[in-house]
Amino acid sequence: MAEELALEAGEAEAGRGTDWWGEVKGIFWLVIAVLGFHSLVAKPFYIPSESMMPTLLVGDRLVVSKYPYGYSYVTPTFHVLPFIHGRLFGHLPERGDIVIVTPTDARSDYIKRVIGLPGEVVEMHGGIVYINGRPVTREKLGTRALKVDVNLPCDGTHYPGMLGRDAAGDLVCNVPIVRETLPGGASYDTIDIGSTTADNFAPVRIPAGHVWLMGDNRDNSADSRVSLAEQGLGGPVPIENIGGRAEFITFSLDGTAGWNPLTWSQSFRSGRAGTSLHPDRAGAKIR
């Protein structure tokens, strides 16, 4: 009798088999949940260029929150929508915020810093930013030795004469640091290598609903100073093109990781995980 019951149970189990449709639905809703979280709450972001050095290095992974400025046509993870005017629950970025931006008629994301706000006049002379005719406060901090690796090669074209060695004999890139403090008190470090064509531009009044964005690596950044044809942002950027705010670094890789998982741990840069990407506002005051 027991053997017959066991046989019947086995036949019933075999008859049921795997619920493939249920598995597919489960995966579908999981994907929808992940995409929804990435689109509406936060998503990971990878730094592919040197335009935000020294704040961000190639190989940094960070978290971008999607809700601080509300939602627009670039909010979804995949940028497939045409330009749509306006933002849902929209808020203007704060001066000094690091933001993710999608250039008009583009599908790729850039990462830059908010320098100018709607209605302001911004210009640049000799590498100094002027907002409403007043120069942004600058403090030269000397050079900073950034460790050279695969993701930070310190090539002579972009960093002439800056490749050197530290006391331990390791290769470093000695970049000149200038600390800027914007009206309102947001402070952050920039790299100012020398005189370039991007160091000067005529006064531009930022239209309503737009912001002026620049990279911290001032001489190596395709930002609001650079035309769309040259892969820049083409001037003031509509706030609809802002996709989110950079919050903090999760981890950073030096570019040596290969296919072998055993090499991955050796490629982590130390001291970068958990670094906040909000500007220093400790001395903030209205000026």
Side-chain angles (χ1 to χ4, degrees):
M1 182 65 177
E3 292 179 356
E4 292 177 355
L5 291 174
L7 181 60
E8 290 175 359
E11 291 175 348
E13 185 67 25
R16 285 196 297 269
T18 301
D19 182 5
W20 291 109
W21 177 238
E23 295 290 335
V24 170
K25 288 194 294 183
I27 294 173
F28 171 79
W29 287 114
L30 176 62
V31 170
I32 292 297
V34 170
L35 290 178
F37 186 87
H38 280 192
S39 295
L40 301 177
V41 182
K43 74 170 186 176
F45 190 84
Y46 166 75
I47 300 301
S49 77
E50 299 177 347
S51 70
M52 283 297 293
M53 284 172 50
T55 310
L56 291 168
L57 307 179
V58 175
D60 283 350
R61 268 70 170 180
L62 46 132
V63 169
V64 172
S65 59
K66 306 302 287 290
Y67 55 84
Y69 313 131
Y71 305 103
S72 72
Y73 81 103
V74 299
T75 297
T77 299
F78 300 105
H79 303 318
V80 296
L81 298 175
F83 180 87
I84 300 173
H85 181 72
R87 297 188 74 95
L88 182 64
F89 309 120
H91 297 281
L92 194 67
E94 289 190 59
R95 196 195 309 275
D97 283 355
I98 297 176
V99 300
I100 303 302
V101 57
T102 306
T104 303
D105 298 327
R107 293 292 179 263
S108 58
D109 291 326
Y110 289 26
I111 184 164
K112 306 294 178 186
R113 191 181 296 276
V114 178
I115 301 296
L117 301 176
E120 296 180 336
V121 175
V122 60
E123 57 193 293
M124 196 171 189
H125 304 290
I128 301 174
V129 179
Y130 290 75
I131 298 176
N132 293 332
R134 299 183 62 182
V136 167
T137 301
R138 288 161 47 92
E139 179 185 3
K140 294 184 178 181
L141 301 181
T143 60
R144 180 176 302 168
L146 302 178
K147 184 178 179 180
V148 170
D149 55 35
V150 175
N151 279 337
L152 204 169
C154 197
D155 66 279
T157 302
H158 296 97
Y159 307 97
M162 298 178 194
L163 183 64
R165 294 187 181 274
D166 60 15
D170 295 324
L171 285 174
V172 293
C173 197
N174 295 301
V175 294
I177 302 296
V178 176
R179 188 161 183 82
E180 285 188 349
T181 301
L182 296 172
S187 297
Y188 49 88
D189 293 341
T190 68
I191 295 178
D192 187 0
I193 294 172
S195 179
T196 67
T197 56
D199 281 342
N200 301 277
F201 62 86
V204 176
R205 182 172 295 278
I206 304 170
H210 290 65
V211 291
W212 187 269
L213 304 179
M214 296 176 69
D216 291 350
N217 191 355
R218 288 296 162 77
D219 301 310
N220 293 289
S221 175
D223 46 40
S224 287
R225 299 169 293 171
V226 181
S227 69
L228 292 173
E230 297 175 292
Q231 306 302 309
L233 297 177
V237 176
I239 59 173
E240 289 88 351
N241 292 23
I242 304 296
R245 182 179 67 195
E247 302 293 348
F248 61 90
I249 296 172
T250 53
F251 63 93
S252 184
L253 300 176
D254 63 12
T256 60
W259 63 268
N260 186 351
L262 296 177
T263 67
W264 295 354
S265 63
Q266 301 171 11
S267 68
F268 283 92
R269 293 186 178 120
S270 63
R272 295 195 64 76
T275 301
S276 172
L277 297 176
H278 295 182
D280 179 10
R281 301 184 190 273
K285 60 181 180 179
I286 302 300
R287 294 187 295 170

